[in-house]
Amino acid sequence: MKNHQSSSMEMVIRRFAGVFILASLALGWWVHPGWFLFTAFVGVNLFQSSITGLCPLERMLRKAGVGQSAGSLQ
């Protein structure tokens, strides 16, 4: 059960990262080049998360109850 929850959370995080990257690229292309900094921000967070294992988005999602089943103790 726990393995399913962590893979579910990982899928949600990947989805968020993909949407953020695509949205910031679109905004950077059509609105203002400053939006490319948001793409870099997402990349830096993904990189630091792969090294440290700390993911701010994961913490926010866990507090919001995303990726937890009804019988979960965490």
Side-chain angles (χ1 to χ4, degrees):
M1 187 68 145
K2 183 132 180 139
N3 191 19
H4 174 70
Q5 290 173 353
S6 64
S7 70
S8 173
M9 178 63 75
E10 186 176 322
M11 294 298 290
V12 171
I13 290 171
R14 287 182 186 189
R15 200 166 296 146
F16 265 88
V19 168
F20 284 167
I21 290 170
L22 291 174
S24 63
L25 288 175
L27 289 168
W29 183 264
W30 285 300
V31 177
H32 189 274
W35 282 101
F36 292 132
L37 292 174
F38 189 69
T39 308
F41 173 75
V42 173
V44 167
N45 271 309
L46 288 171
F47 180 70
Q48 76 79 23
S49 174
S50 72
I51 293 172
T52 65
L54 299 174
C55 179
L57 179 59
E58 182 179 359
R59 289 182 177 194
M60 288 188 280
L61 291 174
R62 286 199 192 282
K63 285 186 179 182
V66 175
Q68 298 178 355
S69 65
S72 175
L73 296 176
Q74 292 180 347

